[in-house]
Amino acid sequence: MYCEYYGFREKPFNITPDPGFIFLSAHHREAFAHLLYGIDNHVGFISLTGEVGAGKTTVVRTLLSQLDRDTYRTAVVFNPCLSSLGLMQHINREYGLPDNHSDTADLLQELNRFLLSENAAGRTVVLVIDEAQNLEPKVLEQVRLISNLETERDKLIQIVLVGQPELRALLERRELRQLGQRIGVRFHLQPMDFGDTRDYINHRLEVAGRRDATLFTDGAVRRIYRFSGGLPRLINLVCDRALLAGYTKERTPVTAAMAAAAISDVRFGEKGGKSFRRPMAAALILAVLLLLGLGGRYTLPKKPAATPAPPPSATKLPQATGEDVTRMSEAESGRRAFDALAALWHLSPLPRSVRPGATPDDLAREAGGELCRFSGGLEALRRLDTPAVIEVTPPGTGGKCYVAVTASDSDSFAVTPAVGGRSTLAAAELERVWSGRGYLLWRNYLDIPTGLKPGARGKKVRQLQRLLVGAGVLAGQPSGTFDATTVAAVKSFQAARGLGNDGTAGRQTLILLYRDGGGFPSPTLTRKENTRS
């Protein structure tokens, strides 16, 4: 929107990870050095902790990009909310090993053979577990057992635990002392100081195409620093809103007053609010109140899971107590539904009111995501295994509205807003009200053009090929040319996942490739240990 006005080639302050914008502050460089030291010296266990938005993922991505594929074998677990069996299956799958065993001992044996082979070839195996503070103690114990795989002289696998500050407290628990004592390298990533914050802002402006260090006044940078505390994610949010305000008012540079207005916007206008986390806290409080009303049958986890847990069967779930889609306008139901998906993808929340007639494309843009249409009913939804917004026509409404399908088990689906007073519908019930049209909200993490075809060349083709390599359908180094081998790899991936295997990297293909081939965080409808990709 404002890129042409400021002379940017692209938006400088997107909150999605982009390797082209990587900026390592002094603290980030120190964290990087600690990780590299621990891996190269085979210490076994390494922990990296830091506040939400401190840049832990940036450090890890930088590390992985620097590890030569001929010397290192890497795998990343982005969804640690798994059982011990599910974790082992996920790890083996990431390394291209058999993962269809139903016993952790068999999976561990497969992994051990792989580690011994890699060790004999002189390669270092690295496993990164992100959001590790969400791991259950019994699953952490399974991680410790993995670290027992060693030779007389060396640890066969280097395990990097990445998490929020709660991870440190978790590792200090008495029942996990055996694991805690094995952490060879620990580093807590501190937020950036004022100097690094200023350099970070200028760096992103320069990468986006503007070499003007005065676009944000010193007063604006100070305001942004005081609000963000040096956390990159908050800096990005405020800077983006400030640039938008400057564009709409046709004013440059961004002043302290404009930064203050942007901060108020990020805070959702709540006076005295500490940060944008307040709406999330309110949502959690609402969830607690709802759960208390369920007769104490459920308990709230210490941290919300990155992937929604599938609900019990429809007959056991209580009826919803909130507002019902049958009493909403089409626009309001769409806002509620797409807002639910935006939260799962960690995108921007939608405004509390949207204009009448807002389309799914409009709502996706409001959230800062991409839209993918699909059809085919429940079969297509299960194949994609991705939360979706669907168009429904509940009895008695006389018109269409929208609900988000956020989780499922074998024969029931969690929906929001509620339909007919119920937040969970059986498969047959959902099919009766669903028009057949569905929408996926998703994140194009690497901005790969949708529909890349044979003959295409360049960086984006190379990034697509890396995803195909990660998915295990393409061998060798990415060439940057969409050749016949790449077409065959895309077709193989599409066929394995029930997509139309035309060899073109369309939206549905990219959504699943980011999850399966790149390890990018993507919400699913079902728990990973209960599904097969």
Side-chain angles (χ1 to χ4, degrees):
M1 181 183 292
Y2 54 64
C3 288
E4 184 176 352
Y5 176 75
Y6 289 111
F8 297 139
R9 291 188 298 269
E10 55 187 314
K11 290 181 68 175
F13 295 104
N14 281 321
I15 61 173
T16 53
D18 187 337
F21 281 90
I22 284 179
F23 173 86
L24 296 180
S25 69
H27 294 307
H28 290 99
R29 290 194 295 272
E30 191 176 356
F32 178 86
H34 275 74
L35 295 182
L36 196 57
Y37 170 84
I39 290 171
D40 283 346
N41 286 275
H42 289 199
V43 301
F45 269 113
I46 305 160
S47 77
L48 173 65
T49 55
E51 288 291 345
V52 175
K56 301 183 295 296
T57 300
T58 297
V59 172
V60 170
R61 288 190 186 280
T62 303
L63 172 73
L64 295 178
S65 70
Q66 297 295 317
L67 298 181
D68 180 60
R69 292 184 177 220
D70 294 332
T71 309
Y72 300 89
R73 292 289 183 266
T74 62
V76 183
V77 177
F78 281 106
N79 173 27
C81 299
L82 302 167
S83 66
S84 297
L85 175 62
L87 179 68
M88 285 302 307
Q89 290 173 330
H90 189 108
I91 292 170
N92 281 19
R93 189 181 309 130
E94 289 293 313
Y95 287 122
L97 306 175
D99 65 338
N100 55 355
H101 298 292
S102 58
D103 187 281
T104 55
D106 293 333
L107 293 162
L108 202 61
Q109 189 175 22
E110 294 280 2
L111 180 61
N112 189 44
R113 281 196 288 265
F114 166 75
L115 295 177
L116 288 170
S117 172
E118 294 299 304
N119 183 260
R123 289 186 283 266
T124 298
V125 179
V126 181
L127 172 65
V128 177
I129 302 178
D130 202 1
E131 301 295 341
Q133 77 280 350
N134 289 327
L135 288 170
E136 294 291 334
K138 62 182 179 181
V139 181
L140 273 171
E141 177 61 17
Q142 180 63 50
V143 174
R144 185 184 69 81
L145 293 177
I146 296 173
S147 75
N148 285 341
L149 303 178
E150 56 188 9
T151 65
E152 292 181 356
R153 297 183 176 181
D154 212 358
K155 289 286 185 183
L156 290 176
I157 186 168
Q158 311 308 307
I159 302 175
V160 183
L161 299 176
V162 183
Q164 296 168 24
E166 292 84 352
L167 176 61
R168 292 195 293 181
L170 183 62
L171 294 174
E172 291 172 1
R173 290 170 61 166
R174 179 172 176 79
E175 65 268 31
L176 294 174
R177 61 187 182 280
Q178 290 187 1
L179 173 58
Q181 291 169 1
R182 294 188 182 196
I183 306 294
V185 172
R186 300 172 186 258
F187 189 84
H188 184 73
L189 182 59
Q190 299 288 347
M192 295 187 291
D193 60 20
F194 174 75
D196 277 332
T197 298
R198 181 186 55 230
D199 292 344
Y200 172 82
I201 292 172
N202 290 335
H203 168 78
R204 295 190 73 100
L205 293 173
E206 183 174 340
V207 172
R210 179 158 180 153
R211 299 175 180 272
D212 182 359
T214 63
L215 185 54
F216 284 75
T217 67
D218 287 342
V221 175
R222 281 193 293 271
R223 284 283 185 99
I224 293 168
Y225 173 70
R226 283 198 298 270
F227 167 74
S228 68
L231 295 176
R233 190 175 302 166
L234 289 179
I235 295 170
N236 285 5
L237 283 169
V238 175
C239 287
D240 181 68
R241 302 290 177 89
L243 288 173
L244 180 60
Y247 163 72
T248 56
K249 297 177 181 179
E250 297 186 350
R251 290 175 55 191
T252 55
V254 174
T255 64
M258 294 162 67
I263 290 168
S264 296
D265 189 24
V266 169
R267 284 173 170 164
F268 296 90
E270 293 188 60
K271 294 182 180 180
K274 294 296 182 182
S275 75
F276 75 105
R277 298 187 187 93
R278 276 207 165 191
M280 180 65 75
L284 289 175
I285 292 171
L286 179 61
V288 171
L289 294 175
L290 176 61
L291 291 171
L292 288 175
L294 305 184
R297 284 178 286 175
Y298 302 96
T299 57
L300 193 68
K302 291 182 179 178
K303 285 286 177 181
T307 301
S313 65
T315 57
K316 294 182 180 179
L317 277 181
Q319 292 190 347
T321 58
E323 293 189 30
D324 194 281
V325 71
T326 59
R327 297 190 292 273
M328 295 179 186
S329 66
E330 179 183 332
E332 176 61 11
S333 69
R335 186 194 73 81
R336 296 289 185 95
F338 275 93
D339 196 45
L341 293 197
L344 295 177
W345 282 95
H346 303 293
L347 292 166
S348 301
L350 270 68
R352 294 177 181 175
S353 62
V354 296
R355 65 173 178 81
T359 66
D361 294 274
D362 296 329
L363 296 171
R365 280 193 293 270
E366 284 281 1
E370 304 274 345
L371 188 75
C372 173
R373 290 173 168 80
F374 74 98
S375 60
L378 293 183
E379 181 182 349
L381 187 60
R382 288 193 172 104
R383 182 178 66 244
L384 293 166
D385 192 22
T386 302
V389 168
I390 63 173
E391 182 183 294
V392 296
T393 52
T397 60
K400 70 178 181 180
C401 46
Y402 300 95
V403 297
V405 182
T406 56
S408 76
D409 62 10
S410 60
D411 197 45
S412 60
F413 295 82
V415 296
T416 184
V419 178
R422 297 173 55 199
S423 58
T424 302
L425 299 178
E429 295 172 318
L430 191 64
E431 283 188 306
R432 278 198 295 270
V433 299
W434 186 3
S435 70
R437 283 185 284 272
Y439 309 90
L440 302 178
L441 181 65
W442 63 293
R443 293 171 68 167
N444 194 344
Y445 289 100
L446 301 176
D447 289 326
I448 297 175
T450 55
L452 277 177
K453 296 180 179 179
R457 296 172 179 269
K459 174 184 175 182
K460 297 305 178 182
V461 175
R462 189 174 294 108
Q463 290 173 327
L464 172 66
Q465 290 171 328
R466 289 196 185 102
L467 295 178
L468 293 167
V469 170
V473 293
L474 182 65
Q477 291 294 323
S479 64
T481 301
F482 205 126
D483 52 17
T485 302
T486 305
V487 173
V490 173
K491 286 185 174 181
S492 175
F493 180 82
Q494 291 171 329
R497 281 142 185 89
L499 304 175
N501 57 336
D502 59 0
T504 300
R507 289 176 173 83
Q508 293 184 21
T509 300
L510 282 176
I511 291 170
L512 299 187
L513 264 178
Y514 277 127
R515 179 195 301 164
D516 299 348
F520 289 90
S522 304
T524 60
L525 282 174
T526 54
R527 291 191 182 192
K528 279 300 180 184
E529 62 264 42
N530 295 333
T531 61
R532 298 284 297 120
S533 56

